[in-house]
Amino acid sequence: MKKIYIEIKWAFIYSITLLAWMLLENTLGWHQERIADQWWLTLLFIPFAVFIYLLAVREKRRRVYDRKMTWPQAFLSGAILSVFIALLTPISSYIINNYITPELFFNAMDYSTKNVGMTQSDANEYVLLTTYLWQSPIGALAFGLATAAIVALFVRKK
C-alpha cells in the first residue's frame, strides 16, 4: 500500500487542481458567454496536468527507487496515477456539473444548435451528461498514459 500511496495522493491533487481550473473557467465566463472558445481554452490546463504527472513520478523516483528509475518504472508509476485519476473522474465530473457549473451542458447545447447547425436531438446526444460521464474516465486514462510515457522519458535516471 505504501508504494502506491504516492500515486493516490497525486491523483487527489490532480482532481482538486482540475476542480479549481473548472471554477476558474466558469468565473472567466468560458462556460457562458465565451462558450465558443471553451474547447480550446480548456487546453490551457494541459501544462498543469503534465506538471502534476512530473511531480508525482519524480516523488516516486526519490522515495521508492532511491533516485534511480528506469523508463518502465516511471511509466508504470504514471500509468497507476492515470488509473486513479480515471477512477476519481466521475466524482470530479459530478462536482463540476452540479456545483461549479451546472449550466455548462445547457449552454453547450444551446450554442451547438444556434451556431454550429446541429439539430436539437444531435446536440442532446453530443452533449449528454451520461455520455460525458463515460467519456471522461476513458479520456483521462488515454491522456494519462500518453503523458506518463512522455514524462517517463524525462524522469528516468540510472
Side-chain angles (χ1 to χ4, degrees):
M1 179 67 179
K2 187 176 182 182
K3 288 189 177 188
I4 63 168
Y5 167 77
I6 294 168
E7 287 88 353
I8 293 170
K9 176 182 86 170
W10 283 100
F12 277 101
I13 291 170
Y14 182 96
S15 297
I16 291 167
T17 305
L18 177 64
L19 292 173
W21 180 263
M22 293 304 285
L23 183 62
L24 176 70
E25 280 189 9
N26 191 34
T27 303
L28 294 175
W30 297 354
H31 297 173
Q32 294 88 23
E33 61 271 359
R34 296 188 66 198
I35 191 95
D37 298 325
Q38 192 265 341
W39 71 270
W40 69 267
L41 290 169
T42 298
L43 296 176
L44 296 174
F45 181 72
I46 291 174
F48 295 100
V50 171
F51 186 63
I52 290 170
Y53 271 79
L54 180 66
L55 292 176
V57 177
R58 283 183 64 208
E59 181 179 344
K60 183 77 166 203
R61 180 184 71 195
R62 188 179 72 247
R63 291 182 182 245
V64 175
Y65 294 108
D66 195 33
R67 301 187 191 276
K68 297 176 189 103
M69 186 179 238
T70 64
W71 185 89
Q73 290 170 328
F75 177 73
L76 181 62
S77 177
I80 292 169
L81 175 62
S82 299
V83 169
F84 286 125
I85 289 171
L87 290 173
L88 289 173
T89 299
I91 297 167
S92 300
S93 297
Y94 179 80
I95 293 169
I96 290 165
N97 295 311
N98 286 300
Y99 299 105
I100 295 176
T101 179
E103 71 281 349
L104 176 61
F105 286 107
F106 299 112
N107 292 341
M109 280 190 278
D110 187 50
Y111 174 80
S112 297
T113 55
K114 290 181 181 172
N115 300 325
V116 178
M118 282 187 175
T119 64
Q120 186 66 40
S121 63
D122 288 342
N124 287 345
E125 280 185 38
Y126 183 72
V127 187
L128 194 62
L129 178 62
T130 53
T131 304
Y132 177 75
L133 290 176
W134 278 106
Q135 289 174 350
S136 293
I138 294 168
L141 189 59
F143 172 78
L145 291 175
T147 303
I150 294 167
V151 165
L153 290 172
F154 296 99
V155 175
R156 65 183 176 175
K157 255 189 189 174
K158 294 182 180 178

